[in-house]
Amino acid sequence: MSTFVQLHLLTSYPPSNLNRDDLGRPKTAVMGGKTRLRVSSQSLKRAWRTSALFESALDGHIGKRTKKMGLEVYKMLCAKGVAENKAKELAIEVVGFFGATENAVKNKPLKELESSQLIHFNQSEMLALSDLTEKIAKDAKVDTDDLKKLVAKRYDIDVAMFGRMLTGKEVVKVTKNTEAAVQVAHAVTVHEVAVEDDYFTAVDDLNNGEEDAGAAHIGETEFASGAFYLYLCINRDLLEENLGGDKALAKKALTALVESAAKVAPNGKQNSFASRAYASYIMAEKGEQQPRSLSVAFLKPVRGEDIMNKAIAELEAKRANMEKVYGLCAAGDPMIMNAETGEGSLNDIATFVTE
Amino acid sequence: MEKYLIFCLYGPLAAWGDIAVGEYRPSFAHPSKSAVVGLLAAALGIHRDNVEQQKKLATACSFAVRVDAIGTLLRDYHTSQVPSAKKGVTHYTRRSELAAGDLSTILSSRDYRCDAAYTVAIKVRAGAEYTAQQLADALLKPIFTLYLGRKSCPLALPLQPRVDSFATLKEALATVTLDDDELPGVAQDSHVSIYWEEDQVSGFEYERVITRRDTPLSRTRWQFGERRENHCTIRKGE
C-alpha cells in the first residue's frame, strides 16, 4: 500500500500551439469519439523542470556545496570513538575520493581536512556518507567500493520525480535507473476542437512598392485554443524513497511541482502567441486506493458558453458519482482551488499535498 | 470450475508495446500479457529488476482479454534532446544534460490507442505464489502507480477487480459489461474480440492462433519470449 496524491487541473489556453507534431500542427487526440487538443506529458514535464520557478523553489535545498565535508566526517568519526589522528587520516581519504584536499597548515590543524574546491554533495549522498562513517569507524579503514556505491545513490529532485532510464555503458556502472514517482497524463481539452490555420504575410519594410507591391513572405501556422484537463498522480512513498528518505526535501519537491503544474505553460510558440496561462481550477485528492484519472467526466465534450464552469461542474459531479458507485478513492474530502469563484488557494493545495 | 480474477482496463490513452527497436514504437490493438502482468506486479510492489519474481508471476497467470472497444490509433511524434555519450561523464540531472552544449535531437514515433477499453480475465495456475484474491486486493490498494502500458497513460476507471469461480472463460467474461452510460462514445463496436491462452477452458471456438512475443524473460535486458494466443470475434453480449 502506498499513499497516492492525485491532482486534477483545468487550465484554459487562448489561441496557441503549445506542443507540435512533425508537421508543426498542434497535437491532438480522440476522446469519446471527438477530436481534442493535446499537450503531451513529455512536453509538460520538460516545461516544469526547466522552469525558473522549479529552479528557484528548489535551489539551495538540493544537497550542499561545501569544502568542509572532511570536517564533518572527522567529527562523526571522533564521535564514534575513533582516535583523533586516525579520524583525520580516514576523513582525508573519504574527501580525497571526491576531490583534492588542502595542504597542512601549521596553526590550523584541521585545514588539511578541507577540499581545495567546492564539492556538490547531494542530500542522499550526505545521508549515505553519514551512515557509512559507522562502518569506517568499525573497520578503521575506508573501502573505495563503498564510496562508489554511495555515488550511485545520488538522485536529484527532477530524476526522483520523473525518473530516468539510462543505457550508456559508463553511466550504468555508477548509477541505476530510477522509477518515476510522478505520473503525468497527456493534457486533453474538455471540449471538441478544430485546429485552425493562421495565414500570415510579412512585409518588406524597405520595399516602396514601385516594382513589387506584394508581401515578402507568406506562410501558415496552425493553432487552436482550449480548456485542458490535466491529471497527475504522485506516489509519495516512492518519491521519499527516491530522495533517500528525506521527508523535508520531498515536501519542497511537491510544493514546486504543484506550483509549476498550476503556473508553467509549455514553451511552444510562446513568442508568437503569448498563451501563458494559470490553472483555473485544481482538485487534490489523497489516499491509498487505486488512483484513477477523472477524464471520463469529459468523454461527452463540454459544449456551449462558460466552458470552464461547466467543466468544473462535470468534474466534481463525476468524482462524487464515482465515489458513490465504486466506493471511496480518497481518504477524506478533496482540497479545491477555484479561480472562477475565488475559493481556496494554491497555498491550500500545496499544504494539503505536503502534509 | 476455475477461479478467475476479472478486471477492467480503461484510460483515454493506452499503449501496448510491440517489438520496438529504434525510432518507431508501435502498439498492439490489445494488451500484451507482459503489460498486464506488469500491472499486477506493480500493484504487488514487485520491482522491475526482480527478474525471478516477475517471471514467476507471468508463469502463474493464464491471461485472457476481451477488447470491448478497439479505439483509434494515435501516432505521437516525439522529440528529445540528449547530449552525446562521453566516457567518464555522468549527468545526474536534466539541467546538467541540457547544459552540456553538444545536444542532438532524437526523433521517435510512439503509437497509442485512444478510446480503448478492455476486460481482462486471469486464471491463476496451480502452485502460484499469490491467490486470485491477493491479486485483487493488491489492485485495490497498489504499491506502485498503475498505468496502461506507458506511464503517461493513467487508468481512468477503477479496475473493479472481482474473483469468482466459473466453468468457462465465456461465463467469466459475460459477468462484465461496459455500457455507454459509463463510457459514452467509447464502447460502440458491435463485435468484440477475445484472446486467451491455450490452457483455459474457454467456451469459445477459436478462429485463429496468433503468436506474440510478450512473455517477460528479463526486464533488465528487456527480453521477451513467444506466446500463443487463441482469438475469436463474437457479437457483443453473446
Side-chain angles (χ1 to χ4, degrees):
Chain A
M1 205 157 39
S2 298
T3 306
F4 296 100
V5 173
Q6 301 183 81
L7 294 174
H8 310 269
L9 293 94
L10 292 168
T11 312
S12 182
Y13 286 96
S16 55
N17 189 346
L18 297 167
N19 187 204
R20 286 161 280 164
D21 68 9
D22 48 342
L23 302 173
R25 290 169 58 84
K27 285 186 176 180
T28 55
V30 175
M31 192 166 85
K34 299 283 190 278
T35 303
R36 317 295 176 103
L37 209 54
R38 173 171 66 97
V39 176
S40 74
S41 62
Q42 301 91 348
S43 166
L44 290 163
K45 287 187 283 187
R46 186 180 199 275
W48 298 338
R49 67 180 170 185
T50 56
S51 69
L53 197 153
F54 212 86
E55 283 289 314
S56 64
L58 300 173
D59 190 32
H61 303 299
I62 314 173
K64 285 201 170 68
R65 272 158 66 86
T66 179
K67 290 184 176 181
K68 299 189 187 298
M69 189 50 80
L71 281 168
E72 295 298 315
V73 174
Y74 167 77
K75 279 184 214 157
M76 284 188 265
L77 289 174
C78 288
K80 291 188 170 70
V82 180
E84 278 183 24
N85 272 347
K86 186 68 184 169
K88 208 166 169 183
E89 203 179 290
L90 292 169
I92 291 173
E93 216 177 314
V94 170
V95 183
F97 173 82
F98 296 95
T101 46
E102 292 283 359
N103 293 327
V105 177
K106 225 180 187 177
N107 294 324
K108 287 185 180 168
L110 296 177
K111 184 70 182 171
E112 55 189 305
L113 285 170
E114 291 185 19
S115 53
S116 40
Q117 280 181 321
L118 283 169
I119 299 175
H120 183 272
F121 289 92
N122 199 285
Q123 195 89 24
S124 66
E125 277 177 321
M126 291 192 291
L127 288 172
L129 203 53
S130 157
D131 289 346
L132 189 60
T133 52
E134 196 80 41
K135 189 180 173 216
I136 295 173
K138 208 177 79 195
D139 301 352
K141 71 173 170 69
V142 179
D143 191 341
T144 317
D145 279 343
D146 287 340
L147 289 170
K148 275 187 190 158
K149 271 184 223 150
L150 179 150
V151 172
K153 278 184 196 154
R154 72 187 272 173
Y155 296 138
D156 269 321
I157 281 178
D158 54 355
V159 178
M161 277 189 191
F162 303 129
R164 99 170 313 174
M165 182 161 149
L166 295 164
T167 49
K169 265 188 195 154
E170 290 300 313
V171 172
V172 295
K173 278 183 199 162
V174 292
T175 185
K176 65 168 191 157
N177 294 333
T178 314
E179 188 67 34
V182 179
Q183 177 185 36
V184 181
H186 294 238
V188 287
T189 52
V190 301
H191 50 81
E192 195 177 356
V193 162
V195 174
E196 294 176 71
D197 295 320
D198 178 28
Y199 171 81
F200 68 91
T201 63
V203 179
D204 187 328
D205 290 340
L206 295 183
N207 181 354
N208 57 17
E210 275 172 14
E211 268 182 35
D212 177 8
H217 175 79
I218 57 169
E220 256 177 51
T221 184
E222 276 139 321
F223 70 94
S225 64
F228 286 84
Y229 168 66
L230 170 62
Y231 171 76
L232 280 86
C233 174
I234 304 145
N235 185 336
R236 269 207 70 163
D237 304 72
L238 185 60
L239 182 64
E240 277 170 17
E241 191 189 318
N242 282 354
L243 290 170
D246 189 333
K247 288 198 159 78
L249 190 63
K251 276 188 179 186
K252 272 169 190 142
L254 279 171
T255 309
L257 180 68
V258 168
E259 210 177 332
S260 18
K263 290 182 177 173
V264 176
N267 305 324
K269 290 239 175 187
Q270 285 296 356
N271 289 347
S272 315
F273 289 103
S275 56
R276 295 175 194 283
Y278 281 12
S280 296
Y281 177 89
I282 304 177
M283 182 201 282
E285 297 175 285
K286 234 175 0 186
E288 289 171 346
Q289 306 288 336
Q290 177 227 312
R292 81 282 173 267
S293 124
L294 290 171
S295 68
V296 280
F298 310 114
L299 275 174
K300 275 188 194 148
V302 179
R303 288 177 211 272
E305 290 172 1
D306 200 10
I307 283 199
M308 186 52 78
N309 275 317
K310 280 185 188 160
I312 292 170
E314 290 286 344
L315 191 71
E316 291 186 346
K318 182 56 80 176
R319 194 198 80 88
N321 287 341
M322 290 268 254
E323 300 264 293
K324 246 184 246 167
V325 177
Y326 294 111
L328 297 186
C329 178
D333 287 335
M335 179 60 76
I336 286 166
M337 179 205 94
N338 187 339
E340 299 287 300
T341 58
E343 174 196 352
S345 72
L346 187 58
N347 205 19
D348 290 347
I349 300 281
T351 312
F352 175 80
V353 165
T354 52
E355 76 191 2
Chain B
M1 297 291 263
E2 291 279 4
K3 218 168 223 180
Y4 281 93
L5 163 67
I6 308 157
F7 55 92
C8 303
L9 291 179
Y10 168 76
L13 292 180
W16 311 113
D18 198 352
I19 298 161
V21 279
E23 81 265 29
Y24 177 49
R25 314 248 146 209
S27 167
F28 253 104
H30 71 279
S32 53
K33 181 176 180 181
S34 51
V36 174
V37 172
L39 185 97
L40 291 171
L44 291 164
I46 301 173
H47 279 263
R48 212 192 278 283
D49 51 12
N50 190 341
V51 181
E52 209 45 52
Q53 284 290 94
Q54 292 273 2
K55 225 165 124 180
K56 257 194 207 165
L57 188 61
T59 317
C61 295
S62 177
F63 168 71
V65 59
R66 183 179 71 200
V67 182
D68 295 305
I70 199 162
T72 52
L73 178 72
L74 169 75
R75 188 153 294 165
D76 188 47
Y77 175 70
H78 184 123
T79 65
S80 173
Q81 283 188 306
V82 285
S84 52
K86 279 201 187 111
K87 222 176 180 176
V89 179
T90 312
H91 298 287
Y92 293 104
T93 62
R94 184 73 179 135
R95 193 187 179 207
S96 97
E97 249 185 4
L98 293 175
D102 57 342
L103 293 176
S104 40
T105 301
I106 292 179
L107 307 179
S108 64
S109 288
R110 286 148 201 251
D111 282 357
Y112 293 86
R113 309 293 307 183
C114 301
D115 276 352
Y118 313 91
T119 304
V120 172
I122 302 266
K123 192 188 88 184
V124 180
R125 293 188 178 124
E129 207 162 315
Y130 301 96
T131 63
Q133 191 55 50
Q134 281 172 320
L135 295 177
D137 293 345
L139 289 178
L140 288 172
K141 284 191 172 185
I143 306 265
F144 295 134
T145 314
L146 307 179
Y147 50 89
L148 301 166
R150 274 192 200 118
K151 199 138 193 170
S152 58
C153 307
L155 298 163
L157 268 189
L159 292 156
Q160 312 158 60
R162 65 211 87 175
V163 176
D164 221 330
S165 294
F166 299 97
T168 61
L169 171 68
K170 190 176 183 174
E171 283 180 21
L173 286 173
T175 57
V176 180
T177 45
L178 275 176
D179 54 30
D180 205 51
D181 284 350
E182 200 159 35
L183 296 175
V186 173
Q188 289 173 324
D189 312 343
S190 61
H191 285 74
V192 291
S193 273
I194 293 150
Y195 300 86
W196 69 96
E197 290 195 68
E198 287 158 312
D199 67 332
Q200 302 216 18
V201 185
S202 71
F204 298 113
E205 292 235 0
Y206 75 86
E207 291 159 16
R208 60 182 183 138
V209 179
I210 58 168
T211 304
R212 296 184 72 175
R213 191 173 281 279
D214 67 352
T215 304
L217 291 182
S218 162
R219 300 300 300 203
T220 46
R221 279 181 292 167
W222 227 250
Q223 286 173 337
F224 299 92
E226 284 187 352
R227 185 176 64 88
R228 285 156 67 84
E229 235 176 23
N230 293 327
H231 170 229
C232 78
T233 310
I234 60 163
R235 188 177 282 277
K236 193 173 260 180
E238 228 174 50

